[in-house]
Amino acid sequence: VSSMTSFDVMTPAEGFRLKGDEKLSFVSELFDRIAPTYDLLNLFISLGQTTLWRIFAYTFVLKRFLPAKGGAILDVGCGSGWSAWYLERVYRREGLAVEGMDCSEKMLEVARKQVPRCTFAHGDVCKLRYADGSFNVVTTVYTLRNFPELRSALKEMVRVTKGGGAVVILDAFPPQHAWMQSILKLWLEGVMPYIAGLLAEKKAYKYLAESIQNTVPSAKVALMLEELGCEDVRVTEYTFGGRRRRTNTS
């Protein structure tokens, strides 16, 4: 008989409000369950926009912060490895190291199969195992709402970034305009979970809908980064609240 997990007994709203190790356990179980179909569903549900946003963000930032030879990139919350695959393929150069890190073992299994040339590690963003200044660029995509504790996670990401490097955060935030909020709510609550439920666990996508609509505003995230010593913090908006944030560390 399989044991019940926090994901089984909690509602999506309760799971979103968790902190610390309880949040880490909830999110890990959630992504373990949807790992096999995550990429396909994510592409369909976002109408392909998540891929475009990632390409826009990486194109704008990475050429400036990666050396001509060598260099290291860390993708936090790498999931199935799409970003690692793209970064390794497009920015392939002598000695470039791309590493992905995630809390979901099942997601990492998918990533290792899809991107065998990159390194993937299991871990907690609030307790990164890397030394200070290990990476030229640290990226994270659609993950902030899943972190056990946001400030601690940002602090760790900044810590492992080299001086003069960049932290690149791409995420979905609640839009500011009421009409866009209404459209987003209809899509996330009225459409997305039912489409996702055809191929994956509906509850997982109800959590994603809950978390996207209630995540920390982008301005507050930018302020946290500045308080952590980052310089030249920029926010660029895309459709329906998607934002790219570039941070130069001191």
Side-chain angles (χ1 to χ4, degrees), residues 38 49-50 53-54 140-146 170-172:
Y38 179 77
Q49 292 186 80
T50 54
W53 292 335
R54 283 188 245 206
T140 194
V141 179
Y142 306 117
T143 55
L144 298 185
R145 59 191 177 274
N146 302 321
L170 178 65
D171 219 308

Side-chain angles (χ1 to χ4, degrees), residues 184-211:
L184 184 65
K185 183 179 180 66
L186 175 63
W187 179 251
L188 291 177
E189 296 184 7
V191 178
M192 184 182 76
Y194 297 96
I195 295 174
L198 298 175
L199 296 174
E201 192 154 349
K202 185 186 296 186
K203 182 178 179 179
Y205 284 87
K206 286 186 175 180
Y207 163 82
L208 295 178
E210 175 78 21
S211 62

